[in-house]
Amino acid sequence: MEPWHTTDARRRTPQRSDARSNRRRILAAARQKLRDDPDASLDSITLAAGVARRTFYGHFSNRQALIAELTQEAARALRQAFAATRVPDADPLETMTRMALAAWAVGDQYRMLTSLGRHHLGEETIRATLAPAREEAVAAIRRGQDEGVFAHHVPAPILAQALEALMLALAEENTTSAWADPAGEEAATACLVAAGVAPHIASRRVRAVLRE
């Protein structure tokens, strides 16, 4: 006969595996449902995840807890995307190009982060959540303004917010309209042009980064 603790451990392992699987399914269903409709009900989310309500509450205390988890997840994805594109000693134009392409790569999560945050968590919470990424963008823009690369008719923090709004609008169109920009080439070029870069220079720089 096997020791009781060995049998018990084997019994717990599938349970833990099932719990992790259920949590992943809930989060995946919630991403899809809440991305399309920030007011999607818990019933629609659990139905899409294929779990019962009691299973949902075993992972999240309420709908707000689920949304907070998704918001933090999206913020991490954006920070990781930015971190993965950093190049030592890159000039401001290359830095902004890489950041725009990185934001595009996590476009769905980025859109969900802002829409869910503003809709459910409040502007102050979403501002704090996005602060690290925004500070990085502002620093790159400010450096580019100092070097005459970017327009300086508005302060760097305001220009950063305007560029963020542009990228979010383009990401929305990429999802809901016939226009498609899989790699983000057109969106990143538009972002640089809006920052004050000549179109032909912006296009050339974006293509150079994408060819790497």
Side-chain angles (χ1 to χ4, degrees):
M1 177 181 290
E2 290 183 310
W4 68 268
H5 55 82
T6 301
T7 303
D8 196 46
R10 288 180 178 176
R11 187 179 299 118
R12 286 198 303 269
T13 299
Q15 290 175 343
R16 286 196 295 265
S17 179
D18 287 345
R20 288 193 295 268
S21 176
N22 286 337
R23 185 181 181 87
R24 285 195 297 269
R25 293 212 310 271
I26 291 168
L27 288 170
R31 281 187 216 105
Q32 179 183 355
K33 290 291 183 181
L34 292 169
R35 182 190 62 208
D36 299 335
D37 176 13
D39 290 316
S41 67
L42 275 186
D43 284 338
S44 69
I45 292 171
T46 54
L47 181 63
V51 301
R53 273 271 196 144
R54 66 178 179 275
T55 301
F56 172 87
Y57 286 119
H59 295 280
F60 303 99
S61 57
N62 52 37
R63 190 171 187 276
Q64 195 77 353
L66 171 65
I67 290 170
E69 171 81 10
L70 288 171
T71 302
Q72 291 302 320
E73 182 185 76
R76 284 194 300 273
L78 184 61
R79 290 195 299 269
Q80 289 168 359
F82 278 7
T85 62
R86 292 188 193 118
V87 173
D89 302 322
D91 61 49
L93 185 51
E94 180 179 353
T95 298
M96 282 302 298
T97 299
R98 293 182 181 279
M99 290 179 72
L101 291 170
W104 193 257
V106 292
D108 277 353
Q109 287 181 296
Y110 190 19
R111 285 192 305 115
M112 187 174 65
L113 169 64
T114 55
S115 64
L116 282 181
R118 293 191 175 106
H119 199 76
H120 295 283
L121 303 178
E123 186 63 33
E124 288 305 312
T125 299
I126 198 63
R127 191 184 298 275
T129 302
L130 279 171
R134 284 178 170 166
E135 288 170 4
E136 191 170 345
V138 169
I141 291 170
R142 186 172 284 126
R143 191 158 57 95
Q145 288 177 329
D146 291 343
E147 295 179 15
V149 175
F150 300 137
H152 50 75
H153 50 283
V154 294
I158 297 175
L159 182 54
Q161 289 183 43
L163 297 179
E164 178 184 306
L166 171 62
M167 292 297 287
L168 287 170
L170 292 173
E172 180 72 26
E173 288 301 315
N174 187 60
T175 301
T176 60
S177 73
W179 177 66
D181 186 17
E185 179 178 347
E186 295 172 20
T189 300
C191 179
L192 295 179
V193 171
V197 180
H200 69 283
I201 295 175
S203 179
R204 185 167 65 240
R205 186 59 71 96
V206 171
R207 287 199 302 270
V209 171
L210 286 173
R211 281 197 300 268
E212 292 179 354

